[in-house]
Amino acid sequence: MKFSKKATLGLLFSITLIVAGCGQKSASDANTSSTGAGNTVPVESEVAKLNVQVSFYPMYEFTKNVAGDLADVHTLVPAGMEPHDWEPTPQDIASIEKADVLVYNGAGMESWIDQVTGSLSNASLIQVEASKGINLLEGGEHDHHHENSDGTDTHDHANESAGEAHDHDHADEATAEEHDHDHNAEAEAGHDHDYGGLDPHVWLSPALAVKEVRNIEAGLAQAAPEHAEQFKQNADAYIAQLESLDQDFKAAVTDSKRKDFITQHAAFGYLAKEYGLQQVPIAGLSPEQEPSAAQMASVIDFAKEHQVKTIFFETLVSSKVSETIASEVGAKTAVLNPIEGLTEEEIAAGMDYISVMRQNLEALKLALNE
């Protein structure tokens, strides 16, 4: 018998109530010790750390850099696992139940988020939607038809307030290029794999990653206001690295020979828009989505017409489709990493968001100057 995703999650929630209830310890219990005679005495301890659960790798990287030593940060999606279709186990939901803060990307990336958080009894849980206030792209609107990098179709992300958001209504604004998102509308749409029609890959633009970091800083400060200044200092230091990365991307593409690149799935729309590039994806927003024969033919025709020499693939999914197209057009393949998770090898090598994005930058510089 095959169960629907909602039915399966509903069963998990029931199990979680039992799991979460077992072993929970109050703050007072955590700071006392038994004398063995039924009495307790206070225990001298370090400053209590926040318990922060994050959905997947980029959220971990951003949160850890803001929290520093003031929080224990745990990632729900395991290393090496593709996060688009991941769903939480009862143990994962129990971990969220006991957390102080939950950080997630939003924009439909975590299809399970509304149902899971709606089932929780932890009224004090601070929920941080890192993409809140960012103008989101409609899925597919930024593929094949980017404007040139002359400023005619770009805006200054650095000057946008992280708190400025505009709800969108697909019926009334179907032709608008960008919209902010409304979770209620997304939930009613009931999409499992199209993210409510929105592109969730915000973190791949360093300029927009700055906004996500600021949103996370605000959430942590709400959870532990006594450490707000330290969170700000940590965020400022990390944002300086992101801004340096942003400037390096801008410099790299300014005089490049070409502005288009072919990638395995449509993950790089925000990066392309930010730097005046044209993303040509083989598949859609989900890397698990199989391209149709017509889509394959279209990409092959584009590659031949524009003499594309590199077809990009990514690390957490099969590269077979990219290799097929590369073989067809006489191109080579290379990695352009959407950083949806690190492989065990990348973790062992000490890689992180900044270093992987710099690898992406070098890969793009080569491909755009062939």
Side-chain angles (χ1 to χ4, degrees), residues 109-141:
M109 182 66 184
E110 299 88 351
S111 61
W112 46 268
I113 193 70
D114 288 335
Q115 194 169 2
V116 168
T117 56
S119 74
L120 301 177
S121 60
N122 181 0
S124 64
L125 177 69
I126 303 297
Q127 298 179 39
V128 181
E129 181 183 22
S131 65
K132 184 177 181 180
I134 293 176
N135 288 328
L136 299 175
L137 296 172
E138 294 289 343
E141 73 177 63

Side-chain angles (χ1 to χ4, degrees), residues 144-271:
H144 296 274
H145 53 77
H146 269 297
E147 299 293 339
N148 292 327
S149 56
D150 59 1
T152 58
D153 189 37
T154 58
H155 56 278
D156 188 352
H157 292 295
N159 291 330
E160 291 178 358
S161 167
E164 292 177 356
H166 305 284
D167 293 338
H168 71 287
D169 185 320
H170 290 295
D172 297 333
E173 302 177 0
T175 60
E177 180 174 347
E178 295 179 342
H179 312 286
D180 189 33
H181 54 300
D182 181 319
H183 272 305
N184 290 332
E186 290 172 24
E188 290 171 3
H191 300 301
D192 284 336
H193 303 290
D194 66 359
Y195 314 104
L198 301 173
D199 182 349
H201 302 87
V202 174
W203 64 91
L204 288 169
S205 163
L208 297 183
V210 168
K211 287 188 171 186
E212 295 208 296
V213 169
R214 287 300 187 199
N215 283 338
I216 292 168
E217 176 201 339
L220 294 179
Q222 181 182 352
E226 67 275 17
H227 299 308
E229 183 57 34
Q230 186 61 58
F231 293 143
K232 184 180 186 305
Q233 291 178 16
N234 293 346
D236 289 347
Y238 188 61
I239 285 172
Q241 297 182 58
L242 293 174
E243 290 175 339
S244 175
L245 180 65
D246 176 48
Q247 291 302 313
D248 289 344
F249 265 95
K250 289 178 179 177
V253 304
T254 298
D255 299 317
S256 60
K257 293 180 180 179
R258 63 189 312 129
K259 301 298 182 184
D260 51 64
F261 62 98
I262 297 177
T263 186
Q264 185 157 337
H265 87 285
F268 296 91
Y270 293 100
L271 182 146

Side-chain angles (χ1 to χ4, degrees), residues 299-318:
V299 173
I300 289 171
D301 289 344
F302 182 93
K304 289 179 176 178
E305 179 182 350
H306 294 82
Q307 299 182 335
V308 176
K309 303 299 183 184
T310 300
I311 309 296
F312 286 113
F313 68 97
E314 55 199 66
T315 53
L316 295 183
V317 295
S318 171

